[in-house]
Amino acid sequence: MVVGDFAIELDTVVIGAGPGGYVAAIRAAQMGQKVAIIEKEYIGGVCLNVGCIPSKALISAGHKYQESLDSTAFGVTSENVKIDFAKTQEWKNTQVVSKLTKGVEGLLKKNKVEILDGEAFFVDENTLRVMGEDNAQTYSFNNAIVATGSRPVEIPGFKFSDRVLDSTGALNLSEIPAKMAIVGGGYIGSELAGVYANLGTEITILEGLPSILNGFDKDMVKLVEKNFKARGVNIVTDAIAKEAVVSDNGVTVKYEAKGEEKSLDVDYVLVTVGRRPNTDELGLEQAGVEMLDRGLIKVDNQGRTNVPSIWAIGDVVPGAALAHKASYEAKIAAEAIAGKKVAVDYRALPAVAFTDPEIASVGLTESEAKDQDLDIKVTKFPLGGNGRALSLNATEGFVRLITTKDDDHVILGAQVAGISASDIIAELGLAIESGMNAEDVAMTIHGHPSLGETVMDAAEAALGFPIHM
């Protein structure tokens, strides 16, 4: 290697160290490639630092606080319950986020992945330039994987500031607001609404569509709305956010609903209306990479762009902006570079919202199956029929299976609403990925008492032989 005016030669280089990038780098190294990863901000990306992980930490803290306030159903009474939010944030940052990011950095080093600090810019289809704080270096590469993720969309009239927050700002508040408005009731907006509602904040959600959590089945969303109502959350649908007027100690949110102009005085407004792929400052056009609408990169079913040496995964390519999708695509791209015959298959891609209750879906929904003119059977098992759910005092929700109507009862899709839905959905994803039918699941012995038994019970019901309903 020659440093200076000459390019340093790399085998595989990954741009971005989030859940797509670091997984791609590790898997490529495991496949025998000499790998470098470029990160301009922090190892672990948005997900580990200011997204998936810290939000779940605050969700857990909110649940603990609520349980401390009211556990009378178990005969437990607490007095003078308080929360020190500074300590909550310290725990989130040091005991959760920091441990995970350091762990990922350790895994990269263990797999002999070289970590390069700085921003990457393509010079051509086999060369890129890395700009650090104090220096710059040119690298040549055989293969590059773009995994630069996405950033929150800023909408007109709502310029991000100390009072107009994106998700990062909302996760790092130093105080629990008395009042907060949330523009956008999707995954992120609904999850953070739940966090602060559980901590005592008066929440108003302004959603432009007819329902929050668009994409999930209505009966699942109704359970979330019921819990929001119990926490005093006000949901305004078909709302158009117009402007945020910031003052020294708050913000006035102006919006339109049902043809009327309205305003809302709050401490903070959180804007979660979508994310934009980070592809605009990479120099992709200089490398000849073909782009799609909204800054997305066009790829084939292995993650390869029209330029054979450049690949892309995660939020920068079409599909849901989900961390687990990025990690999955990362393994496919890394293995394809190594010459393996692999391709993406999204039929068992789960969608999870960590709301109250949690809701999750994998495979086909009932409406999607009907749109494909499939002859299906829909079976729904209530959590109220499960002993473990009863013992946890968490009986709201259900497991639903979408199976073929013939004698095979092949599982095409599943939805779970209720406690631990994010965990329960994994078994159903495996069943769909493996082409299992209801009998395969029904004949699998599940531990008792467990929430996992709800899947077995739903499978038995799909076969026409229910035990617990």
Side-chain angles (χ1 to χ4, degrees):
M1 296 189 303
V2 180
V3 182
D5 294 334
F6 298 93
I8 297 176
E9 295 180 4
L10 299 174
D11 184 6
T12 297
V13 60
V14 181
I15 306 172
Y22 83 75
V23 170
I26 291 173
R27 180 53 53 88
Q30 291 171 340
M31 294 288 103
Q33 299 161 42
K34 184 180 178 182
V35 185
I37 191 167
I38 303 167
E39 175 54 53
K40 71 174 184 178
E41 195 165 6
Y42 32 49
I43 300 296
V46 168
C47 178
L48 268 66
N49 290 273
V50 290
C52 325
I53 300 302
S55 65
K56 304 314 169 286
L58 290 187
I59 286 170
S60 296
H63 287 161
K64 294 294 184 185
Y65 180 62
Q66 280 298 320
E67 289 167 6
S68 299
L69 288 175
D70 183 13
S71 291
T72 54
F74 297 99
V76 178
T77 302
S78 303
E79 295 181 359
N80 301 320
V81 176
K82 297 179 181 178
I83 182 168
D84 185 335
F85 198 54
K87 286 188 176 180
T88 302
Q89 290 285 28
E90 181 184 5
W91 165 77
K92 179 203 75 178
N93 293 331
T94 62
Q95 300 303 309
V96 181
V97 173
S98 181
K99 280 188 176 181
L100 277 175
T101 54
K102 287 179 181 177
V104 169
E105 186 172 357
L107 289 170
L108 288 167
K109 291 177 179 178
K110 177 184 175 183
N111 285 277
K112 296 181 172 56
V113 175
E114 183 181 3
I115 301 173
L116 305 175
D117 298 323
E119 293 188 60
F121 301 89
F122 284 98
V123 177
D124 56 41
E125 60 185 26
N126 286 108
T127 314
L128 55 77
R129 188 98 169 146
V130 177
M131 310 292 290
E133 286 188 8
D134 303 316
N135 54 40
Q137 177 61 51
T138 301
Y139 296 86
S140 64
F141 58 85
N142 294 323
N143 289 283
I145 301 175
V146 179
T148 47
S150 60
R151 62 187 185 273
V153 171
E154 187 176 74
I155 58 176
F158 289 80
K159 183 177 177 58
F160 292 134
S161 65
D162 291 341
R163 293 288 174 180
V164 182
L165 309 174
D166 60 10
S167 54
T168 299
L171 287 168
N172 288 292
L173 286 174
S174 59
E175 63 179 356
I176 299 173
K179 296 181 180 181
M180 179 187 283
I182 298 178
V183 180
Y187 287 82
I188 299 171
S190 293
E191 289 182 359
L192 291 177
V195 167
Y196 284 103
N198 279 332
L199 294 175
T201 303
E202 183 181 316
I203 298 287
T204 298
I205 299 175
L206 303 176
E207 170 56 52
L209 296 173
S211 172
I212 62 170
L213 294 165
N214 182 50
F216 285 100
D217 287 344
K218 290 182 180 179
D219 55 353
M220 303 171 81
V221 176
K222 283 182 179 179
L223 290 173
V224 178
E225 290 174 337
K226 177 184 174 183
N227 275 268
F228 272 151
K229 186 176 181 180
R231 292 278 179 266
V233 175
N234 181 33
I235 302 172
V236 183
T237 55
D238 295 311
I240 302 173
K242 294 294 186 78
E243 185 184 12
V245 180
V246 178
S247 63
D248 291 338
N249 56 4
V251 56
T252 299
V253 179
K254 297 181 180 181
Y255 66 99
E256 181 182 325
K258 296 181 179 179
E260 295 182 18
E261 298 285 340
K262 299 185 178 183
S263 65
L264 185 66
D265 294 322
V266 293
D267 298 309
Y268 300 93
V269 56
L270 165 63
V271 180
T272 60
V273 296
R275 300 184 65 82
R276 177 178 290 113
N278 293 323
T279 56
D280 44 344
E281 296 182 354
L282 288 172
L284 290 166
E285 65 283 353
Q286 292 182 217
V289 174
E290 185 177 353
M291 306 296 291
L292 300 171
D293 293 338
R294 298 180 292 111
L296 294 170
I297 301 172
K298 184 178 181 180
V299 292
D300 64 12
N301 63 1
Q302 291 184 317
R304 185 189 289 103
T305 71
N306 63 302
V307 178
S309 58
I310 299 177
W311 308 65
I313 60 172
D315 292 5
V316 299
V317 303
L322 300 171
H324 48 274
K325 170 180 171 286
S327 296
Y328 169 72
E329 292 169 346
K331 298 168 192 174
I332 298 294
E335 292 178 11
I337 289 171
K340 291 201 166 220
K341 294 182 179 179
V342 291
V344 295
D345 179 1
Y346 298 120
R347 65 175 172 167
L349 176 68
V352 182
F354 291 82
T355 47
D356 292 329
E358 292 181 4
I359 56 177
S361 182
V362 67
L364 298 179
T365 63
E366 180 180 358
S367 60
E368 288 170 341
K370 288 180 177 177
D371 287 344
Q372 295 181 27
D373 294 323
L374 297 175
D375 195 14
I376 60 169
K377 180 178 182 179
V378 180
T379 308
K380 191 174 180 179
F381 180 81
L383 262 62
N386 176 262
R388 181 61 175 148
L390 283 163
S391 70
L392 292 169
N393 193 36
T395 57
E396 64 175 349
F398 54 83
V399 173
R400 177 166 48 231
L401 297 184
I402 312 299
T403 59
T404 57
K405 208 170 185 177
D406 55 27
D407 293 337
D408 290 335
H409 300 288
V410 176
I411 301 173
L412 304 174
Q415 293 80 46
V416 182
I419 185 170
S420 295
S422 57
D423 299 313
I424 295 171
I425 203 69
E427 179 181 353
L428 292 160
L430 175 62
I432 295 169
E433 176 69 24
S434 304
M436 293 182 182
N437 60 23
E439 186 176 12
D440 292 324
V441 174
M443 294 303 294
T444 299
I445 302 172
H446 290 67
H448 175 77
S450 68
L451 294 169
E453 287 179 291
T454 56
V455 177
M456 178 182 68
D457 280 311
E460 290 176 341
L463 295 169
F465 301 105
I467 300 295
H468 296 112
M469 62 179 287

